[in-house]
């Protein structure tokens, strides 16, 4: 656990440097190293641009088509965020059901595990036919892909509350609801946080898979178009934005988690 | 006994030079094996490739945009591609040539349900058209619509991947573009759904070769391509002369996936579409289509047919 009091006692400028500038510098350095390696591979192996375009070409395309890319990014971002909310809600709901009602757990757990064996790519075309080609099918795809990690993490966290806390609460006459609210749920949050971190990173896969199967906008749609028209630099530009989106989502989630679960390391 | 061993050893040695002459060729199809690949499969099944000294390894991709790229990267020798895709690839600087034609007419159609809701192209105004992205749909669909005064932005275009028939049948889209007239129409018919098609070449789009073979422009083996085309021609002639027998031999190639009612219907619908002279070429026709794509801004440079279509 970071020592909050020490941080607070520092002057604002040092704090700003520590919290914002350092990570930013780190990210920029790693990005530069990756781009350098990438450019080196392209030059050294004489890669034709239809196999691997040079980072400079991709960057040029990024600037040239920023309006189109931005439009499709907004669509995909919306799908991912709504999918995250739906998946998190579903995961929490099912984890609570399994904790509170034992028979539910015995029935539900095998189904949950079996559901994970189904690749979303196989399910996607059918989902499109059920839910249509709009945003709903992509939200459900993203939710489906994150649903399992969230459910299991949340359930594990709820289940593994230190028994001393529970015994104490019981001797003090806490009801089932009070135990859940004041002890089990707070104790499960660090584990749940791990589930959320995984969810944030993999949710874009669900959204993009949905767009590949059926859509009229979004980064996945743009990637297919670019690939079909031999504009591989544009496809890489879309991929770059997608990875940026994932990193951004991860750090926002991390910040929020730190804020709401300060006792987590 | 010893004599026999020596004899067979001698026979083996004699056979070796013959085998060494067999040229290995990898061919990647555009999609999983289907009746469009009839001549390739028949040439393989009936040993026409072998007779030409070729050992052809037929592979299937998971994505039709991959094979031509693999040829350009020298990972496979030959691939089946589409004329519009070939022109786009060449315009983008890929080292590709067309080596033969498999199907010399367009197969793509704009398909609608035959339920009197849409009677002519202009009825599609404000409707949803499902496509499986190939890169040139904007050019073709907008040209077709324009012949009846509808603009491209007056319809909603949705990528539906490969669920063409299902999307149309379930009413999620009002029309589909990208289905083949010899396949998807039969697929719908088998499900008891009547469909109707608008053919691009009858609505303002210049005719083109739907399926062509492509090879690497820098490293193609002229002798091997000549041999390959000869076997292909032989197989096509056999199919045309013996439609029933050739269907049986085709279905026997991969009975688990090919021997069914849909493929049989598609086989009969494809018979008349195989290029009877796979090597023959009309450069002007290619230039016309390239010009069409250029004028529709699908390609930004205009390749000349003579540069990517060598005569053999």
């Amino acid at each position: 656990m970071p020592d909050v009091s020490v941080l607070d006692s520092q002057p604002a400028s040092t704090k700003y440097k520590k919290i914002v500038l350092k990570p930013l510098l780190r990210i920029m350095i790693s990005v530069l190293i990756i781009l350098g390696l990438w450019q080196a591979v392209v030059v050294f192996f004489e890669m034709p641009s239809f196999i691997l375009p040079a980072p400079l070409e991709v960057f040029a395309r990024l600037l040239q088509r920023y309006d189109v890319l931005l439009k499709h990014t907004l669509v995909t971002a919306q799908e991912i965020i709504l999918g995250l909310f739906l998946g998190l809600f579903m995961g929490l709901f099912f984890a609570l059901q399994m904790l509170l009602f034992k028979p539910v757990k015995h029935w539900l757990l095998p189904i949950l595990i079996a559901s994970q064996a189904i690749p979303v790519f196989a399910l996607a075309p059918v989902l499109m036919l059920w839910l249509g080609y709009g945003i709903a099918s992509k939200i459900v795809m993203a939710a489906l892909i994150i649903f399992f990690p969230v459910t299991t993490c949340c359930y594990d966290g709820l289940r593994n509350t230190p028994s001393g806390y529970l015994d104490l609460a019981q001797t003090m006459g806490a009801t089932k609801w009070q135990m859940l609210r004041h002890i089990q749920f707070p104790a499960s949050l660090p584990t749940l946080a791990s589930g959320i971190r995984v969810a944030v990173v993999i949710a874009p896969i669900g959204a993009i898979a949905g767009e590949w199967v059926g859509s009229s906008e979004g980064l996945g749609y743009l990637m297919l178009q670019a690939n079909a028209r031999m504009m591989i630099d544009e496809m890489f530009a879309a991929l770059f934005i997608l990875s940026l989106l994932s990193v951004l989502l991860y750090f926002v989630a991390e910040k929020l988690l730190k804020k709401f679960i300060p006792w987590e390391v | 006994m010893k004599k026999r061993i020596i004899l067979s050893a001698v026979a083996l040695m004699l056979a070796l030079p013959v085998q060494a002459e067999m040229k290995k060729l990898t061919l990647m199809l555009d999609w999983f094996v289907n009746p469009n690949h009839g001549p390739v499969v028949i040439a393989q099944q009936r040993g026409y490739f072998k007779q030409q000294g070729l050992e052809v390894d037929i592979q299937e991709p998971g994505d039709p945009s991959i094979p031509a790229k693999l040829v350009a990267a020298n990972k496979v020798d030959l691939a089946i591609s589409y004329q519009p895709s070939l022109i786009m690839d060449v315009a983008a600087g890929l080292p590709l040539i067309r080596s033969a034609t498999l199907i010399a007419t367009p197969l793509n159609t704009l398909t609608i349900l035959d339920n009197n809701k849409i009677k002519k192209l202009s009825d599609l105004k404000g409707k949803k058209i499902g496509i499986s992205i190939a890169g040139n749909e904007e050019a073709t669909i907008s040209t077709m619509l324009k012949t009846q005064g509808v603009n491209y932005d007056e319809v909603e275009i949705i990528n539906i991947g490969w669920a063409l028939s299902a999307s149309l049948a379930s009413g999620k889209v009002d029309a589909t573009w990208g289905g083949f007239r010899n396949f998807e129409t039969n697929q719908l018919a088998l499900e008891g759904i009547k469909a109707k098609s608008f053919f691009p070449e009858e609505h303002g789009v210049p005719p083109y070769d739907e399926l062509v073979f492509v090879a690497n422009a820098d490293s193609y083996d002229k002798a091997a391509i000549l041999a390959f085309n000869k076997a292909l021609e032989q197989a096509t002639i056999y199919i045309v002369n013996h439609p029933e027998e050739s269907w049986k031999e085709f279905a026997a190639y991969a009975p688990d996936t090919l021997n069914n009612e849909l493929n049989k219907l598609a086989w009969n619908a494809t018979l008349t579409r195989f290029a009877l002279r796979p090597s023959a070429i009309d450069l002007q026709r290619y230039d016309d289509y390239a010009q069409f794509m250029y004028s529709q801004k699908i390609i930004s440079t205009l390749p000349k047919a003579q540069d990517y279509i060598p005569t053999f």
Side-chain angles (χ1 to χ4, degrees):
Chain A
M1 186 167 141
D3 196 342
V4 181
S5 60
V6 176
L7 273 179
D8 282 341
S9 67
Q10 285 171 335
S13 64
T14 345
K15 204 172 129 191
Y16 177 75
K17 259 187 203 162
K18 225 178 188 167
I19 297 178
V20 182
L21 282 185
K22 272 224 172 141
L24 207 65
L25 203 70
R26 273 204 299 270
I27 291 175
M28 274 172 68
I29 290 173
S30 11
V31 167
L32 277 180
I33 290 175
I34 293 171
L35 290 182
L37 281 175
W38 177 359
Q39 181 79 39
V41 166
V42 171
V43 173
F44 188 72
F45 293 103
E46 291 176 354
M47 287 275 185
S49 61
F50 65 88
I51 294 182
L52 183 66
L56 285 177
E57 288 172 49
V58 176
F59 188 67
R61 180 65 77 163
L62 209 62
L63 293 181
Q64 186 198 340
R65 298 262 290 172
Y66 79 95
D67 47 344
V68 180
L69 285 161
L70 185 70
K71 188 186 116 197
H72 291 281
T73 305
L74 289 178
V75 175
T76 304
Q78 197 185 356
E79 292 164 2
I80 295 171
I81 290 166
L82 291 174
L84 270 173
F85 278 118
L86 181 66
L88 288 176
F89 175 77
M90 273 166 40
L92 273 173
F93 178 76
F94 278 102
L96 282 175
Q97 297 299 313
M98 290 203 298
L99 181 82
L100 297 177
F101 310 104
K102 278 271 140 60
V104 173
K105 180 201 149 188
H106 294 305
W107 286 99
L108 208 58
L109 205 59
I111 297 175
L112 281 182
I113 293 166
S115 76
Q116 279 310 288
I118 301 170
V120 280
F121 284 91
L123 212 58
V126 194
L127 265 179
M128 298 298 145
L129 290 178
W130 292 342
L131 300 170
Y133 292 106
I135 192 168
S137 47
K138 281 77 177 180
I139 295 173
V140 170
M141 288 282 290
L144 275 182
I145 209 168
I146 65 167
F147 167 64
F148 188 70
V150 173
T151 312
T152 44
C153 282
C154 187
Y155 180 65
D156 279 348
L158 288 169
R159 204 166 47 155
N160 293 332
T161 318
S163 52
Y165 293 0
L166 293 176
D167 291 343
L168 183 67
Q170 215 151 27
T171 47
M172 291 171 79
T175 60
K176 209 175 176 183
W177 170 243
Q178 281 172 326
M179 289 219 292
L180 179 68
R181 197 181 148 209
H182 295 291
I183 298 172
Q184 285 172 301
F185 189 65
S188 77
L189 286 179
T191 327
L192 178 61
S194 318
I196 294 177
R197 280 194 202 97
V198 175
V200 165
V201 176
I202 60 174
I205 302 175
I208 295 292
E211 286 176 0
W212 276 52
V213 175
S215 64
S216 50
E217 48 190 355
L219 287 175
Y221 176 80
L222 197 68
M223 277 187 236
L224 277 184
Q225 273 289 0
N227 183 44
R229 285 206 194 167
M230 267 303 145
M231 299 194 298
I232 306 301
D233 43 2
E234 185 161 314
M235 196 178 104
F236 272 80
L239 276 175
F240 175 75
I241 295 181
L242 192 67
S243 356
L244 212 63
L245 204 63
S246 282
V247 173
L248 197 73
L249 272 171
Y250 184 83
F251 282 111
V252 170
E254 188 78 343
K255 263 244 119 61
L256 289 175
L257 289 172
K258 281 249 165 71
K259 193 172 167 178
F260 289 111
I261 321 172
W263 62 91
E264 197 218 358
V265 183
Chain B
M1 189 66 191
K2 236 181 196 170
K3 224 179 200 174
R4 206 182 280 172
I5 292 175
I6 293 169
L7 266 178
S8 47
V10 169
L12 251 175
M13 276 160 77
L14 283 175
L16 271 177
V18 179
Q19 277 195 332
E21 272 173 30
M22 285 295 259
K23 214 171 256 171
K24 281 196 171 146
L25 215 55
T26 43
L27 163 71
M28 188 166 268
L29 306 178
D30 59 313
W31 192 232
F32 52 80
V33 175
N34 62 64
N36 289 337
H37 308 130
V40 176
V41 172
I42 293 298
Q44 183 82 318
Q45 291 284 78
R46 297 190 61 82
Y48 295 151
F49 288 136
K50 279 226 168 68
Q51 285 170 21
Q52 295 295 328
L54 296 176
E55 199 180 305
V56 180
D57 174 23
I58 302 174
Q59 300 171 357
E60 300 171 34
D63 171 351
S65 76
I66 294 292
K69 281 184 207 161
L70 288 178
V71 169
N74 263 325
K75 301 275 188 242
V76 292
D77 301 313
L78 284 176
I80 297 181
S81 188
Y82 314 88
Q83 185 193 325
S85 306
L86 171 65
I87 293 174
M88 271 191 276
D89 292 349
V90 172
L94 264 69
L96 290 175
I97 55 147
R98 168 263 183 213
S99 70
T101 300
L102 181 58
I103 289 183
T105 64
L107 290 180
N108 255 320
T109 52
L110 190 67
T111 307
I112 52 161
L113 294 180
D114 191 10
N115 54 8
N116 276 330
K117 277 190 187 154
I118 292 162
K119 288 177 187 148
K120 46 193 190 304
L121 281 170
S122 56
D123 294 336
L124 281 169
K125 193 172 174 173
K127 296 281 196 312
K128 289 182 186 153
I129 301 180
I131 59 165
S132 71
I133 293 177
N136 66 331
E137 46 282 328
E138 185 174 343
T140 34
I141 296 173
S142 73
T143 301
M144 289 175 78
L145 291 176
K146 217 168 270 167
T147 58
Q148 298 206 359
V150 180
N151 277 331
Y152 188 64
D153 54 16
E154 286 175 304
V155 293
E156 192 185 339
I157 300 290
I158 302 170
N159 162 41
I160 51 172
W162 297 102
L164 290 166
S165 297
S167 307
L168 187 65
S170 65
K172 293 282 171 195
V173 293
D174 303 291
T176 58
W177 168 258
F180 280 173
R181 58 193 72 168
N182 56 342
F183 199 83
E184 266 78 6
T185 320
N186 286 316
Q187 194 174 29
L188 286 165
L190 276 181
E191 297 294 325
I193 296 161
K194 268 175 95 184
K196 223 165 67 173
S197 293
F198 296 107
F199 302 123
E201 70 276 21
E202 291 176 4
H203 294 275
V205 177
Y208 58 91
D209 296 350
E210 189 67 63
L211 295 175
V212 294
F213 292 89
V214 296
N216 189 298
D218 303 323
S219 61
Y220 70 89
D221 180 340
K222 190 174 171 180
I225 287 178
L226 276 172
F228 183 88
N229 290 0
K230 204 163 193 180
L232 210 61
E233 182 167 359
Q234 219 178 336
T236 310
I237 290 173
Y238 176 78
I239 291 172
V240 174
N241 288 346
H242 308 276
E244 268 303 313
E245 288 95 322
S246 61
W247 156 248
K248 283 183 198 131
E249 286 165 62
F250 173 77
Y253 176 76
D256 292 347
T257 49
L258 293 180
N259 196 9
N260 55 43
E261 190 58 28
L262 173 57
N263 278 322
K264 178 144 205 215
L265 285 174
W267 181 263
N268 289 326
T270 317
L271 278 177
T272 53
R273 300 199 173 263
F274 295 127
L276 292 172
R277 297 162 62 215
S279 289
I281 187 68
D282 178 353
L283 292 178
Q284 188 59 48
R285 196 156 163 269
Y286 272 68
D287 277 336
D288 288 347
Y289 197 82
Q291 182 62 47
F292 163 73
M293 291 176 84
Y294 185 71
S295 66
Q296 294 287 323
K297 298 196 174 63
I298 297 296
I299 48 177
S300 51
T301 55
L302 188 57
K304 279 246 150 276
Q306 59 186 20
D307 296 334
Y308 61 92
I309 307 178
T311 36
F312 291 106

